[in-house]
């Protein structure tokens, strides 16, 4: 019996080691030094090869029966919606293959990674993998004298710590991804040992400082959103006190008004994002083909310019295109938006079906943060930074855990009372 237990523990540890290494490599793929050297893509491809192999192996391993399940249908439908626009667009074969593989990766991480990440220990391994990748990127930059700081046009410090990654906003997103996972484990991972909890607490404090040093206002907003949602269960006490509930409601309204005027209307960079969305729809207002299927040709078949500059050169230089929604429209069109909608509805459905309020809170904290991120960055449809793919994996894993709990409770309820 002890031999079997030891074998089981080794298997779990091996999987967590794979998750740790994969996340570290993926995060290293955004290293500023590797980008300067032009080899970051190879590191990124290696990381996603490991990720897809891991997801596929653990997903197929658990499929004991050959019958069609809802998750299979959803995965197939989403992949088709993601891919059909790319296939019908006039793109080169290499670009089509690359984009379709990107969309399959997002669909896999969001829907069928529930057996790849199926415990809080797995989430912890992924979070520390991201942290290790950031540490490696920072050491590479320090050793090769690559700047660890970016200039900031708006804000107090006028300088932002990028931690050796491509840009300070991506660094803030990567730190936040690790912070979110470790927070979930620290708060809800009952199997975590006491000495690990002290280590996790120290890392959480360190990552809080790193997010502040990044001077990324988008990072600050997502950080605040996550903390608000993950601690939402503490607000239940307000239901017993109508006065406190009213005060909190007024504070939330005032905070929302302040955010709108101070950040949305008072930020030139955010207005550029809004203008970019308006420019895109104005440019395609009579072009139903590109609205329905996307216009990736505009972004990926340009004359040697960057992704964003290719788009701006076509639809207008007075806007920018970091928002997740507009990036999804460019790559996949309305059909792709429907695919993302199905993913999020599926996750919400699993959360609502779960009877545990804590598990719902955990999953919703990641989901809401990812959705809000689409208003400031392209994380929701971008695999070149770790934040989006990490959130999809964690949500898929949490959905798998919730479904297992629901399934086990159903089995118990079907047991004859005399056997209980």
């Amino acid at each position: 019996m002890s031999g079997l237990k030891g074998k089981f523990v080794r298997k779990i540890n091996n999987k967590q080691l794979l998750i740790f290494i994969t996340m570290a490599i993926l995060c290293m793929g955004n290293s500023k030094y590797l980008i300067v050297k032009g080899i970051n893509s190879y590191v990124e491809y290696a990381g996603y090869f490991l990720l897809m192999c891991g997801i596929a192996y653990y997903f197929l391993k658990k499929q004991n029966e050959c019958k069609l399940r809802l998750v299979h249908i959803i995965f197939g439908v989403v992949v088709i919606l993601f891919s059909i626009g790319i296939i019908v667009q006039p793109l080169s074969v290499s670009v089509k293959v690359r984009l379709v593989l990107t969309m399959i990766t997002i669909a896999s991480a969001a829907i069928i990674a529930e057996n790849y990440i199926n415990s809080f220990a797995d989430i912890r391994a992924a979070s520390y993998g991201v942290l290790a990748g950031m540490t490696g990127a920072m050491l590479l930059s320090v050793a090769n004298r690559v700047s660890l700081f970016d200039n900031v046009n708006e804000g107090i410090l006028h300088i932002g710590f990028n931690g050796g990654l491509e840009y300070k906003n991506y660094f803030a997103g990567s730190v936040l991804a690790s912070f979110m996972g470790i927070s979930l484990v620290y708060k809800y991972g009952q199997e975590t040992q006491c000495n690990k909890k002290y280590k996790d607490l120290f890392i959480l404090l360190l990552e809080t400082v790193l997010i502040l040093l990044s001077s990324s206002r988008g990072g600050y907003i997502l950080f605040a959103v996550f903390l608000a949602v993950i601690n939402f269960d503490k607000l239940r006490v307000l239901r017993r006190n109508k006065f406190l509930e009213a005060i909190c409601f007024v504070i939330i309204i005032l905070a929302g008004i302040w955010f709108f005027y101070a950040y949305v209307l008072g930020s030139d960079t955010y207005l550029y994002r809004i203008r970019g969305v308006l420019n895109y729809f104005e440019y395609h207002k009579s072009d139903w083909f590109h609205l329905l299927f996307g216009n990736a040709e505009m972004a990926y078949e340009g004359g040697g310019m960057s992704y964003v500059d290719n788009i701006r050169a076509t639809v207008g230089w007075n806007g920018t295109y970091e928002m997740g929604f507009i990036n999804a429209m460019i790559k996949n069109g309305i059909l792709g938006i429907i695919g993302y909608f199905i993913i999020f509805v599926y996750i919400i459905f699993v959360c609502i079906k779960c009877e545990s309020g804590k598990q719902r809170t955990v999953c919703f904290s990641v989901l809401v943060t990812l959705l809000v991120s689409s208003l400031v960055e392209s994380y929701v449809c971008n695999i070149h930074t770790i934040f989006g793919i990490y959130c999809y994996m964690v949500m898929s894993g949490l959905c798998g855990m919730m479904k297992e709990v629901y399934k086990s409770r159903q089995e118990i309820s079907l047991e004859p009372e005399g056997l209980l």
Side-chain angles (χ1 to χ4, degrees), residues 348-372:
I348 292 171
F349 174 77
V350 174
C351 289
I352 293 174
K353 196 175 180 181
C354 179
E355 297 178 3
S356 171
K358 287 184 177 180
Q359 289 179 330
R360 281 199 301 269
T361 300
V362 169
C363 196
F364 273 128
S365 66
V366 182
L367 174 63
V368 172
T369 306
L370 179 60
L371 288 175
V372 173

PDB file of all heavy atoms in Angstrom, residues 348-372:
ATOM      1  N   ILE A 348     -19.051  30.212 -16.711  1.00  0.00           N
ATOM      2  CA  ILE A 348     -20.067  30.759 -15.801  1.00  0.00           C
ATOM      3  C   ILE A 348     -21.103  29.698 -15.452  1.00  0.00           C
ATOM      4  O   ILE A 348     -21.529  29.585 -14.288  1.00  0.00           O
ATOM      5  CB  ILE A 348     -20.730  31.997 -16.439  1.00  0.00           C
ATOM      6  CG1 ILE A 348     -19.717  33.140 -16.535  1.00  0.00           C
ATOM      7  CG2 ILE A 348     -21.956  32.434 -15.628  1.00  0.00           C
ATOM      8  CD1 ILE A 348     -20.213  34.322 -17.351  1.00  0.00           C
ATOM      9  N   PHE A 349     -21.508  28.903 -16.437  1.00  0.00           N
ATOM     10  CA  PHE A 349     -22.488  27.835 -16.199  1.00  0.00           C
ATOM     11  C   PHE A 349     -21.976  26.828 -15.171  1.00  0.00           C
ATOM     12  O   PHE A 349     -22.699  26.430 -14.253  1.00  0.00           O
ATOM     13  CB  PHE A 349     -22.801  27.131 -17.517  1.00  0.00           C
ATOM     14  CG  PHE A 349     -23.686  25.926 -17.371  1.00  0.00           C
ATOM     15  CD1 PHE A 349     -25.048  26.064 -17.172  1.00  0.00           C
ATOM     16  CD2 PHE A 349     -23.142  24.637 -17.416  1.00  0.00           C
ATOM     17  CE1 PHE A 349     -25.864  24.939 -17.023  1.00  0.00           C
ATOM     18  CE2 PHE A 349     -23.945  23.525 -17.268  1.00  0.00           C
ATOM     19  CZ  PHE A 349     -25.312  23.675 -17.068  1.00  0.00           C
ATOM     20  N   VAL A 350     -20.710  26.425 -15.312  1.00  0.00           N
ATOM     21  CA  VAL A 350     -20.126  25.472 -14.352  1.00  0.00           C
ATOM     22  C   VAL A 350     -20.073  26.091 -12.961  1.00  0.00           C
ATOM     23  O   VAL A 350     -20.358  25.430 -11.958  1.00  0.00           O
ATOM     24  CB  VAL A 350     -18.728  25.023 -14.809  1.00  0.00           C
ATOM     25  CG1 VAL A 350     -18.064  24.145 -13.750  1.00  0.00           C
ATOM     26  CG2 VAL A 350     -18.803  24.270 -16.134  1.00  0.00           C
ATOM     27  N   CYS A 351     -19.710  27.377 -12.887  1.00  0.00           N
ATOM     28  CA  CYS A 351     -19.637  28.056 -11.588  1.00  0.00           C
ATOM     29  C   CYS A 351     -21.004  28.122 -10.914  1.00  0.00           C
ATOM     30  O   CYS A 351     -21.126  27.867  -9.712  1.00  0.00           O
ATOM     31  CB  CYS A 351     -19.074  29.469 -11.767  1.00  0.00           C
ATOM     32  SG  CYS A 351     -17.326  29.540 -12.187  1.00  0.00           S
ATOM     33  N   ILE A 352     -22.025  28.487 -11.679  1.00  0.00           N
ATOM     34  CA  ILE A 352     -23.370  28.611 -11.116  1.00  0.00           C
ATOM     35  C   ILE A 352     -23.888  27.259 -10.646  1.00  0.00           C
ATOM     36  O   ILE A 352     -24.564  27.148  -9.612  1.00  0.00           O
ATOM     37  CB  ILE A 352     -24.323  29.226 -12.155  1.00  0.00           C
ATOM     38  CG1 ILE A 352     -23.925  30.677 -12.418  1.00  0.00           C
ATOM     39  CG2 ILE A 352     -25.778  29.143 -11.695  1.00  0.00           C
ATOM     40  CD1 ILE A 352     -24.702  31.341 -13.522  1.00  0.00           C
ATOM     41  N   LYS A 353     -23.548  26.221 -11.406  1.00  0.00           N
ATOM     42  CA  LYS A 353     -24.016  24.882 -11.066  1.00  0.00           C
ATOM     43  C   LYS A 353     -23.377  24.359  -9.781  1.00  0.00           C
ATOM     44  O   LYS A 353     -23.963  23.529  -9.082  1.00  0.00           O
ATOM     45  CB  LYS A 353     -23.708  23.930 -12.232  1.00  0.00           C
ATOM     46  CG  LYS A 353     -24.455  22.615 -12.177  1.00  0.00           C
ATOM     47  CD  LYS A 353     -24.186  21.798 -13.431  1.00  0.00           C
ATOM     48  CE  LYS A 353     -24.931  20.463 -13.396  1.00  0.00           C
ATOM     49  NZ  LYS A 353     -24.661  19.657 -14.605  1.00  0.00           N
ATOM     50  N   CYS A 354     -22.190  24.868  -9.474  1.00  0.00           N
ATOM     51  CA  CYS A 354     -21.485  24.418  -8.264  1.00  0.00           C
ATOM     52  C   CYS A 354     -22.184  24.949  -7.016  1.00  0.00           C
ATOM     53  O   CYS A 354     -22.593  26.109  -6.949  1.00  0.00           O
ATOM     54  CB  CYS A 354     -20.035  24.902  -8.300  1.00  0.00           C
ATOM     55  SG  CYS A 354     -19.092  24.442  -6.846  1.00  0.00           S
ATOM     56  N   GLU A 355     -22.338  24.098  -6.004  1.00  0.00           N
ATOM     57  CA  GLU A 355     -23.037  24.478  -4.775  1.00  0.00           C
ATOM     58  C   GLU A 355     -22.139  25.200  -3.784  1.00  0.00           C
ATOM     59  O   GLU A 355     -22.616  25.840  -2.864  1.00  0.00           O
ATOM     60  CB  GLU A 355     -23.620  23.225  -4.103  1.00  0.00           C
ATOM     61  CG  GLU A 355     -24.681  22.520  -4.944  1.00  0.00           C
ATOM     62  CD  GLU A 355     -25.194  21.256  -4.280  1.00  0.00           C
ATOM     63  OE1 GLU A 355     -24.751  20.974  -3.142  1.00  0.00           O
ATOM     64  OE2 GLU A 355     -26.032  20.568  -4.888  1.00  0.00           O
ATOM     65  N   SER A 356     -20.828  25.106  -3.979  1.00  0.00           N
ATOM     66  CA  SER A 356     -19.887  25.720  -3.047  1.00  0.00           C
ATOM     67  C   SER A 356     -19.661  27.186  -3.401  1.00  0.00           C
ATOM     68  O   SER A 356     -19.191  27.517  -4.494  1.00  0.00           O
ATOM     69  CB  SER A 356     -18.544  24.975  -3.087  1.00  0.00           C
ATOM     70  OG  SER A 356     -17.569  25.672  -2.342  1.00  0.00           O
ATOM     71  N   GLY A 357     -20.010  28.074  -2.469  1.00  0.00           N
ATOM     72  CA  GLY A 357     -19.810  29.498  -2.686  1.00  0.00           C
ATOM     73  C   GLY A 357     -18.350  29.862  -2.806  1.00  0.00           C
ATOM     74  O   GLY A 357     -17.977  30.743  -3.585  1.00  0.00           O
ATOM     75  N   LYS A 358     -17.490  29.175  -2.052  1.00  0.00           N
ATOM     76  CA  LYS A 358     -16.057  29.463  -2.108  1.00  0.00           C
ATOM     77  C   LYS A 358     -15.473  29.121  -3.471  1.00  0.00           C
ATOM     78  O   LYS A 358     -14.684  29.875  -4.036  1.00  0.00           O
ATOM     79  CB  LYS A 358     -15.329  28.674  -1.010  1.00  0.00           C
ATOM     80  CG  LYS A 358     -15.565  29.202   0.392  1.00  0.00           C
ATOM     81  CD  LYS A 358     -14.739  28.443   1.406  1.00  0.00           C
ATOM     82  CE  LYS A 358     -14.937  29.029   2.806  1.00  0.00           C
ATOM     83  NZ  LYS A 358     -14.130  28.300   3.820  1.00  0.00           N
ATOM     84  N   GLN A 359     -15.855  27.968  -4.010  1.00  0.00           N
ATOM     85  CA  GLN A 359     -15.335  27.578  -5.321  1.00  0.00           C
ATOM     86  C   GLN A 359     -15.814  28.524  -6.408  1.00  0.00           C
ATOM     87  O   GLN A 359     -15.076  28.843  -7.340  1.00  0.00           O
ATOM     88  CB  GLN A 359     -15.744  26.134  -5.631  1.00  0.00           C
ATOM     89  CG  GLN A 359     -15.010  25.108  -4.783  1.00  0.00           C
ATOM     90  CD  GLN A 359     -15.446  23.694  -5.106  1.00  0.00           C
ATOM     91  OE1 GLN A 359     -16.585  23.465  -5.500  1.00  0.00           O
ATOM     92  NE2 GLN A 359     -14.550  22.739  -4.920  1.00  0.00           N
ATOM     93  N   ARG A 360     -17.052  28.979  -6.305  1.00  0.00           N
ATOM     94  CA  ARG A 360     -17.559  29.960  -7.269  1.00  0.00           C
ATOM     95  C   ARG A 360     -16.756  31.254  -7.183  1.00  0.00           C
ATOM     96  O   ARG A 360     -16.393  31.848  -8.196  1.00  0.00           O
ATOM     97  CB  ARG A 360     -19.040  30.245  -7.019  1.00  0.00           C
ATOM     98  CG  ARG A 360     -19.975  29.179  -7.561  1.00  0.00           C
ATOM     99  CD  ARG A 360     -21.388  29.734  -7.688  1.00  0.00           C
ATOM    100  NE  ARG A 360     -21.912  30.211  -6.419  1.00  0.00           N
ATOM    101  CZ  ARG A 360     -22.609  29.472  -5.577  1.00  0.00           C
ATOM    102  NH1 ARG A 360     -22.867  28.201  -5.864  1.00  0.00           N
ATOM    103  NH2 ARG A 360     -23.054  29.962  -4.444  1.00  0.00           N
ATOM    104  N   THR A 361     -16.491  31.694  -5.953  1.00  0.00           N
ATOM    105  CA  THR A 361     -15.732  32.931  -5.757  1.00  0.00           C
ATOM    106  C   THR A 361     -14.347  32.819  -6.358  1.00  0.00           C
ATOM    107  O   THR A 361     -13.859  33.759  -7.007  1.00  0.00           O
ATOM    108  CB  THR A 361     -15.626  33.263  -4.255  1.00  0.00           C
ATOM    109  OG1 THR A 361     -16.941  33.425  -3.708  1.00  0.00           O
ATOM    110  CG2 THR A 361     -14.835  34.538  -4.035  1.00  0.00           C
ATOM    111  N   VAL A 362     -13.692  31.682  -6.160  1.00  0.00           N
ATOM    112  CA  VAL A 362     -12.341  31.457  -6.690  1.00  0.00           C
ATOM    113  C   VAL A 362     -12.341  31.583  -8.206  1.00  0.00           C
ATOM    114  O   VAL A 362     -11.529  32.301  -8.797  1.00  0.00           O
ATOM    115  CB  VAL A 362     -11.814  30.073  -6.271  1.00  0.00           C
ATOM    116  CG1 VAL A 362     -10.540  29.736  -7.036  1.00  0.00           C
ATOM    117  CG2 VAL A 362     -11.541  30.038  -4.776  1.00  0.00           C
ATOM    118  N   CYS A 363     -13.254  30.890  -8.863  1.00  0.00           N
ATOM    119  CA  CYS A 363     -13.289  30.893 -10.324  1.00  0.00           C
ATOM    120  C   CYS A 363     -13.719  32.257 -10.860  1.00  0.00           C
ATOM    121  O   CYS A 363     -13.134  32.762 -11.836  1.00  0.00           O
ATOM    122  CB  CYS A 363     -14.228  29.804 -10.832  1.00  0.00           C
ATOM    123  SG  CYS A 363     -14.008  29.418 -12.588  1.00  0.00           S
ATOM    124  N   PHE A 364     -14.710  32.870 -10.239  1.00  0.00           N
ATOM    125  CA  PHE A 364     -15.175  34.180 -10.690  1.00  0.00           C
ATOM    126  C   PHE A 364     -14.088  35.245 -10.526  1.00  0.00           C
ATOM    127  O   PHE A 364     -14.032  36.200 -11.312  1.00  0.00           O
ATOM    128  CB  PHE A 364     -16.431  34.603  -9.939  1.00  0.00           C
ATOM    129  CG  PHE A 364     -17.702  34.108 -10.557  1.00  0.00           C
ATOM    130  CD1 PHE A 364     -18.637  33.428  -9.795  1.00  0.00           C
ATOM    131  CD2 PHE A 364     -17.962  34.307 -11.909  1.00  0.00           C
ATOM    132  CE1 PHE A 364     -19.818  32.962 -10.369  1.00  0.00           C
ATOM    133  CE2 PHE A 364     -19.140  33.854 -12.487  1.00  0.00           C
ATOM    134  CZ  PHE A 364     -20.063  33.168 -11.720  1.00  0.00           C
ATOM    135  N   SER A 365     -13.234  35.106  -9.515  1.00  0.00           N
ATOM    136  CA  SER A 365     -12.165  36.089  -9.310  1.00  0.00           C
ATOM    137  C   SER A 365     -11.217  36.115 -10.500  1.00  0.00           C
ATOM    138  O   SER A 365     -10.764  37.179 -10.930  1.00  0.00           O
ATOM    139  CB  SER A 365     -11.400  35.788  -8.016  1.00  0.00           C
ATOM    140  OG  SER A 365     -10.700  34.557  -8.108  1.00  0.00           O
ATOM    141  N   VAL A 366     -10.903  34.939 -11.037  1.00  0.00           N
ATOM    142  CA  VAL A 366     -10.032  34.859 -12.216  1.00  0.00           C
ATOM    143  C   VAL A 366     -10.785  35.308 -13.461  1.00  0.00           C
ATOM    144  O   VAL A 366     -10.256  36.053 -14.294  1.00  0.00           O
ATOM    145  CB  VAL A 366      -9.487  33.421 -12.396  1.00  0.00           C
ATOM    146  CG1 VAL A 366      -8.538  33.350 -13.593  1.00  0.00           C
ATOM    147  CG2 VAL A 366      -8.772  32.948 -11.136  1.00  0.00           C
ATOM    148  N   LEU A 367     -12.036  34.857 -13.590  1.00  0.00           N
ATOM    149  CA  LEU A 367     -12.839  35.183 -14.770  1.00  0.00           C
ATOM    150  C   LEU A 367     -13.062  36.687 -14.902  1.00  0.00           C
ATOM    151  O   LEU A 367     -12.850  37.269 -15.979  1.00  0.00           O
ATOM    152  CB  LEU A 367     -14.190  34.458 -14.691  1.00  0.00           C
ATOM    153  CG  LEU A 367     -15.218  34.793 -15.774  1.00  0.00           C
ATOM    154  CD1 LEU A 367     -14.706  34.388 -17.140  1.00  0.00           C
ATOM    155  CD2 LEU A 367     -16.548  34.117 -15.479  1.00  0.00           C
ATOM    156  N   VAL A 368     -13.491  37.333 -13.832  1.00  0.00           N
ATOM    157  CA  VAL A 368     -13.775  38.770 -13.877  1.00  0.00           C
ATOM    158  C   VAL A 368     -12.502  39.555 -14.175  1.00  0.00           C
ATOM    159  O   VAL A 368     -12.509  40.508 -14.968  1.00  0.00           O
ATOM    160  CB  VAL A 368     -14.408  39.236 -12.545  1.00  0.00           C
ATOM    161  CG1 VAL A 368     -14.520  40.757 -12.506  1.00  0.00           C
ATOM    162  CG2 VAL A 368     -15.776  38.600 -12.360  1.00  0.00           C
ATOM    163  N   THR A 369     -11.378  39.159 -13.567  1.00  0.00           N
ATOM    164  CA  THR A 369     -10.114  39.849 -13.812  1.00  0.00           C
ATOM    165  C   THR A 369      -9.700  39.736 -15.274  1.00  0.00           C
ATOM    166  O   THR A 369      -9.252  40.714 -15.884  1.00  0.00           O
ATOM    167  CB  THR A 369      -8.997  39.276 -12.912  1.00  0.00           C
ATOM    168  OG1 THR A 369      -9.419  39.318 -11.546  1.00  0.00           O
ATOM    169  CG2 THR A 369      -7.720  40.089 -13.051  1.00  0.00           C
ATOM    170  N   LEU A 370      -9.855  38.546 -15.859  1.00  0.00           N
ATOM    171  CA  LEU A 370      -9.510  38.360 -17.267  1.00  0.00           C
ATOM    172  C   LEU A 370     -10.419  39.191 -18.169  1.00  0.00           C
ATOM    173  O   LEU A 370      -9.958  39.821 -19.132  1.00  0.00           O
ATOM    174  CB  LEU A 370      -9.601  36.882 -17.648  1.00  0.00           C
ATOM    175  CG  LEU A 370      -9.273  36.549 -19.113  1.00  0.00           C
ATOM    176  CD1 LEU A 370      -7.850  36.959 -19.459  1.00  0.00           C
ATOM    177  CD2 LEU A 370      -9.487  35.064 -19.385  1.00  0.00           C
ATOM    178  N   LEU A 371     -11.730  39.215 -17.869  1.00  0.00           N
ATOM    179  CA  LEU A 371     -12.658  39.994 -18.684  1.00  0.00           C
ATOM    180  C   LEU A 371     -12.363  41.488 -18.595  1.00  0.00           C
ATOM    181  O   LEU A 371     -12.383  42.196 -19.614  1.00  0.00           O
ATOM    182  CB  LEU A 371     -14.096  39.716 -18.242  1.00  0.00           C
ATOM    183  CG  LEU A 371     -14.660  38.337 -18.613  1.00  0.00           C
ATOM    184  CD1 LEU A 371     -16.036  38.141 -18.006  1.00  0.00           C
ATOM    185  CD2 LEU A 371     -14.720  38.166 -20.125  1.00  0.00           C
ATOM    186  N   VAL A 372     -12.076  41.979 -17.406  1.00  0.00           N
ATOM    187  CA  VAL A 372     -11.745  43.397 -17.242  1.00  0.00           C
ATOM    188  C   VAL A 372     -10.444  43.719 -17.984  1.00  0.00           C
ATOM    189  O   VAL A 372     -10.287  44.811 -18.545  1.00  0.00           O
ATOM    190  CB  VAL A 372     -11.640  43.769 -15.748  1.00  0.00           C
ATOM    191  CG1 VAL A 372     -11.126  45.202 -15.576  1.00  0.00           C
ATOM    192  CG2 VAL A 372     -12.994  43.629 -15.071  1.00  0.00           C
TER     193      VAL A 372
END
